[in-house]
Every structure is written in C-alpha cells, then in structure tokens.
C-alpha cells in the first residue's frame, strides 16, 4: 500500500509482492528491482530485513535436498551457458538483458510463471489428490518464479502454496524424481506447448546471439559445445548440492548425444514464433553474419586465393542474397525463407569454384597443369593458383583433423564425474561402484603408463590456419587466378563458359526434408571433396550444403532454366 510509483511498462499502480519480497505489477506482471522493507521486532530491534523469506521450501531430512522445479534446472543451465559465452567474448548484455527476457517470456507463454495459475493437468491432479488443498483461491497471484540469471546458483523463488500442493502430486506418483514436477513434466502433451529440452537451451543461446548480431554462427556455437567450452554435456553436475537429481530428472537433463545442427536451428525458429518476437535487427553488409563477411572467413580457412572473394561478392549481389530483407529473421513469417548464414556462405564458395574450375574431375586438372607450366616461366608477380597442389595440401590436413575428431568422439566418456542414482535406496551402491571404477582406472593407468589427457585447446574461430610465412608453399591466399580468367567487355570472366547443374528441378516434397537428393556416387569426386571440406568446417552433413548450392544455382540461372522448361514444353506439345 505504501508503494505508489507507476509501473514502467503499463503506467498502472497495482502492485503485489512476490515470494522474494519484490514488487510486481498485477496488470502486466512486470517485476521490479524494488523490495519491501520489513521490520522484524522479534529478531533484533531497529534491524531491517531487505527481502522476505524465499518460501516454505521443504528441506528433506534424509539427503539434505530441497524442493526444486524442472524450469529451475533449465534456468541454471542457461545461466552457465551464458556465462561461458561471456568468457568467449560475447557482449555482456546478452545474459541479463536479452537471454533473460527471452526466458521470462517463455515462462509466461508456457504458463510456468508471470501469469495466472495454469488450469491444466497440474491443477486437475491437485483436485483429484486432495480436495482440501491449500491452494490460494484468488484468480490472480504472484508469479510462480522470480527470475534473474544473475542470481546465485540459479535459484528461482516459487509460490509457497503451489509448491507444497504440487509436491503432494509428485509424492503420490510411483515414479522417483528429484524435482517436484519431474514426473508431471514428462506426462505433459508435447503438442500443447513448446516443452523445454536440453537442445532448446542452445536454441535460446543462438537466438540471443542472433538478436545481438554477434560474430558467432550456429556451427561455431555447436563446435564450442563439443569442445567443452560451453556447458551442455553433463551440465547437471554443476547443479547445487541441494538440487538432488535422480529418476526422471536424468531423462530431462542427461544428454548422451551430440547436438544436431538442424534440430537446434528448427527449435530456434519455433521458439521465436512461440514467443511472438518482432523482426530481428537487420543483418547489413557491415555485420559478421553477412555472406560477404562469412565468405571471406571461410575462404581463409579453406586456404583458397583471396581473389575469389570478388567472385563471391558478385554472386551474392547477382542473386540478391545480401539484402537485409532476405537475411533478417522475421519470426512466424512463412513467406520468407529462413537463412542459415554459415551454410549459405559455404554454398556460395562452392558455386564460385564450380563457375571457375567446373569441378567435373577433368577441367580443374587441365587448368592445374596449365598453371603449373605458367609458374615455371613466371618470374614476376604472385604464383598462379594450382588446384591439384591445393587439393593435396588440403586433403592431407583434412584427413589428419578428421581422424583426430573421430578418435576424440570415440573416446568420449558420456558418464560424468559426479555419480548419479535413480533412487535414494541405490545411492550407496552407486557411490561404492563409482569409487571402485575410479580406483581400477587409476591402477590400470599406472600399469600401462598411459599419458594423462591433454588440456582442451583454447577456443578459436578457425579450425584450420594457414600462414603466408610458410616456406613450403602450403598457403594459397596470395595466389593469382590470372591463369583461368579472361577479360571480356571490361570484366574478368571464366575461360570455360560451361557449367553443370547439381539438379534441374528442386524437390517440393515437404516430408523429404531436402530440396535435392545427394549421393556421393552420382557426383564428381572434386565436387564431393569440396563439400566434405566445408561439412567438416561447419560440422554438418554434406547434403545440407548441397541443398543450398542447388538453391543458389537455380537463382543464378533462373532465366536459362525457364527458357529450357518452356522449350521442352513446346516440344512435348
């Protein structure tokens, strides 16, 4: 009653108190940083308590744990991931301004917090289990959770009456779960609303990165996850000791597979539409995610000549894929095509290589022989680019890196260092067995003289690095394309005007999932090698890059394809 300030969002004066003692607006559910000052005369005279108790969280006497909710666990995961991204150099405002607001909006949209009490399965279960429940009968109540990704240990303050009542439902179920709502969470209908999963935490992070237009693509994000720089696999071992994890919680938070590019990307699109987000900030030519910028990065990483960047820019301009309206994400707009920025840039480079070298297992080798002869007589300027020499250098390096990656994945231990148990009864057995395994591993390690695992490499935007200072000629950045170009009407064009299309017609089947079908045996080995190179850099399947290549080709040769289709139609008539 004493707080009469207007709400910053809706200008109403209709305040309530959350369980943590903070003021919230009953009209728009905005939570302020102001807290109620309560004088407790029974404790010490003239002493003020800045916050109210966090609620009647029942402390378990048996194992020292407390009641916690699944969304609290996911909030802690997001907090750890945001902090890791900050360490990698992401803008500090990502965590508390962007990601935090997305998470609050998700909790409100999914009716887990910042809303009236949900009237779904939880309330129905409460009425069945106990008709004399102590759930408050007011139509409007404080939000279930008070959120701040800056809070210590990711703690969420939960409504007392709802927590105590929901715990009865949890206790009445026969399935063991460390969280209050673990069993109910898995029972929910997935079609009802977008249910939170571990891959979706990465979707949240990528959505925040995209909103800020940070210089980190989705492939970079997933690679940092695999390399262990961003918490994802076994992240639950960082949970506070009081958050006991067992039973069905392991199905929710335990991950035993690598994150998949398509799954994380599609969930990000679903999330953006589910949250009713507005148009994202424009991707302009000065942004890192613009094709011209990304093409420059991937050309450097693929050890290709710098002159190819002029050709990639020409292709981008020709088919208008560098415009802000094409590149900017508009959630829920089905008329616009969603852009995978890293895949698009890689596909542009592949198309340029096809334009200049054809990549038909014949023409590129002829050009390479010609460049080799020219380099013998060339004493001025930079050397001509030799495709054959580049192929040998890249293949050797790629095979080594691919083998190293495969070995690391094969040796990866999915079990975390912190032992987990599915029930309290099995806890002692699991701890004893875990200690036995550790002792045996140490003993066998001493006997075999195995080397301790090396420290994980420092994060880098480049997986393959090439220096022009190398005297072995393994860097091709400064090589010239003069041997394969000719001047025509004041413009440099490819000597060979021929070009082969990956597919004449794009697939329109929605169930297929691909715009074009890709099988290695159906395409030249040079083309497959280039796809393999970029699929390694992006950590995705070559078929996804092939799809984007086909789309770019159809935009680039749209007029010729239309003429050809009309000509064929006329012949059939």
């Amino acid at each position: 009653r004493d707080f009469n300030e207007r709400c910053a969002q809706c200008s109403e004066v209709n305040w309530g108190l959350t369980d943590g003692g903070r003021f919230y607006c009953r009209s728009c559910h905005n939570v302020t940083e102001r807290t109620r000052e309560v004088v407790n005369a029974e404790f010490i005279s003239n002493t003020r308590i800045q916050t109210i108790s966090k609620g009647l969280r029942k402390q378990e006497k048996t194992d020292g744990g407390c009641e916690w909710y699944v969304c609290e666990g996911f909030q802690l995961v997001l907090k750890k991931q945001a902090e890791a991204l900050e360490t990698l150099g992401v803008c500090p405002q990502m965590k508390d301004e962007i990601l935090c607001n997305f998470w609050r909006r998700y909790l409100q949209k999914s009716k887990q917090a910042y809303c009236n009490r949900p009237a779904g399965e939880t309330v129905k279960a409460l009425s069945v289990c106990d008709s004399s429940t102590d759930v408050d009968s007011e139509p409007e109540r404080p939000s279930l959770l008070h959120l701040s990704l800056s809070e210590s240990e990711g703690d969420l303050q939960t409504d007392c009456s709802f927590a105590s009542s929901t715990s009865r439902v949890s206790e009445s179920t026969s399935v063991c779960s460390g969280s209050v709502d673990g069993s109910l969470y898995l029972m929910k209908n997935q079609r009802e609303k977008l249910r939170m999963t571990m891959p979706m935490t990465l979707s949240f992070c990528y959505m925040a990165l995209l909103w800020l237009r940070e210089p980190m693509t989705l492939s970079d994000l997933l690679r940092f996850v695999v390399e262990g720089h961003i918490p994802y696999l076994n992240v639950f071992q960082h949970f506070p000791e009081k958050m006991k994890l067992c039973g069905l919680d392991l199905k929710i938070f335990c991950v035993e597979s690598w994150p998949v590019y398509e799954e994380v990307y599609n969930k990000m699109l679903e999330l953006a539409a589910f949250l009713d987000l507005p148009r994202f900030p424009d991707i302009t030519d000065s942004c890192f995610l613009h094709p011209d910028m990304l093409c420059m990065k991937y050309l450097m990483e693929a050890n290709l000549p710098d002159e190819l960047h002029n050709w990639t820019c020409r292709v981008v301009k020709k088919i208008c894929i560098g415009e802000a309206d094409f590149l900017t994400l508009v959630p829920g707009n089905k008329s616009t095509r969603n852009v995978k920025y890293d895949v698009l840039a890689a596909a542009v480079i592949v198309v340029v290589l096809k334009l200049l070298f054809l990549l038909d297992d014949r023409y590129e080798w002829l050009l390479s022989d010609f460049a080799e002869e020219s380099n013998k007589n060339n004493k001025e300027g930079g050397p001509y680019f030799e495709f054959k020499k580049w192929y040998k250098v890249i293949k050797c390096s790629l095979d080594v890196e691919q083998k190293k990656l495969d070995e690391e994945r094969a040796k990866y231990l999915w079990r975390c260092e912190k032992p987990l148990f599915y029930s309290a009864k099995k806890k002692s057995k699991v701890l004893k067995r875990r200690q036995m395994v550790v002792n045996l591993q140490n003993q066998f390690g001493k006997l075999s003289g195995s080397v301790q695992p090396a420290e994980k490499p420092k994060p880098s935007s480049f997986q393959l690095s090439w220096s022009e200072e190398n005297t072995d000629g393994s860097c091709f950045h400064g090589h010239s394309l003069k041997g394969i170009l000719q001047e025509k009407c004041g413009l440099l064009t490819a000597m060979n005007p021929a070009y082969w299309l990956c597919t004449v017609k794009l697939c329109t089947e929605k169930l297929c999932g691909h715009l074009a079908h890709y099988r290695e045996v159906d395409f030249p080995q040079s083309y497959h090698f280039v796809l393999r190179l970029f699929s390694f850099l992006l950590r995705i399947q070559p078929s996804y890059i092939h799809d984007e290549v086909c789309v770019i080709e159809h935009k680039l040769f749209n007029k010729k394809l239309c003429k050809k289709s009309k000509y064929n139609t006329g012949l059939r008539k």
Side-chain angles (χ1 to χ4, degrees), residues 53-84:
S53 171
K54 288 187 176 181
L56 302 177
R57 295 208 168 195
K58 183 174 62 177
Q59 298 293 326
E60 300 289 343
K61 296 180 181 179
T62 56
D63 55 4
C66 70
E67 290 181 347
W68 61 281
Y69 291 83
V70 172
C71 52
E72 289 181 284
F74 280 119
Q75 176 176 313
L76 184 62
V77 174
L78 286 172
K79 177 176 178 288
K80 296 291 183 182
Q81 292 175 347
E83 290 172 352

Side-chain angles (χ1 to χ4, degrees), residues 19 156 202 205 503:
D19 221 26
L156 294 174
L202 299 178
C205 290
T503 181

Side-chain angles (χ1 to χ4, degrees), residues 338-480:
N338 299 311
V339 181
K340 301 168 186 172
Y341 304 98
D342 40 11
V343 180
L344 177 66
V348 169
I349 296 175
V350 175
V351 170
V352 168
L353 290 176
K354 285 183 66 179
L355 284 169
L356 299 181
F357 298 96
L358 206 57
L359 301 184
D360 64 346
D361 288 344
R362 179 177 171 273
Y363 185 69
E364 63 269 23
W365 307 121
L366 293 176
L367 288 178
S368 184
D369 293 338
F370 173 75
E372 185 179 1
E373 290 295 327
S374 300
N375 283 331
K376 293 178 181 178
N377 303 323
N378 183 23
K379 297 181 181 180
E380 297 180 0
Y384 290 173
F385 176 69
E386 299 179 33
F387 187 89
K388 186 187 296 183
K389 189 176 180 181
W390 172 84
Y391 173 85
K392 290 179 180 179
V393 171
I394 294 295
K395 188 177 187 306
C396 180
S397 179
L398 184 60
D399 290 342
V400 171
E401 294 296 327
Q402 186 68 57
K403 184 180 179 181
K404 189 188 301 182
L405 177 62
D406 294 340
E407 288 179 352
E408 289 177 356
R409 291 195 172 189
K411 293 178 181 179
Y412 187 80
L413 297 176
W414 292 102
R415 292 188 178 182
C416 63
E417 297 177 0
K418 182 180 179 181
L420 300 172
F421 47 91
Y422 286 87
S423 65
K425 296 178 181 179
K426 297 182 180 180
K427 179 179 179 180
S428 59
K429 292 182 180 179
V430 172
L431 291 175
K432 189 180 295 183
R433 188 180 302 169
R434 179 62 180 169
Q435 187 61 41
M436 188 184 300
V437 169
V438 172
N439 293 336
L440 287 172
Q441 285 177 343
N442 292 335
Q443 291 176 12
F444 280 114
K446 291 178 181 179
L447 290 172
S448 61
S450 59
V451 182
Q452 292 293 329
E455 296 182 2
K456 58 184 179 183
K458 294 182 179 180
S460 174
S461 297
F462 292 90
Q463 301 174 69
L464 304 175
S465 58
W466 313 93
S467 176
E468 295 185 14
E469 297 176 359
N470 294 345
T471 56
D472 57 356
S474 60
C475 181
F476 297 89
H477 291 159
H479 287 215
S480 174

Side-chain angles (χ1 to χ4, degrees), residues 32-49:
T32 69
E33 297 299 324
R34 285 286 300 273
T35 57
R36 179 185 178 185
E37 295 182 349
V38 180
V39 179
N40 191 346
E42 297 177 359
F43 184 57
I44 298 176
S45 59
N46 299 326
T47 302
R48 290 193 170 188
I49 301 175

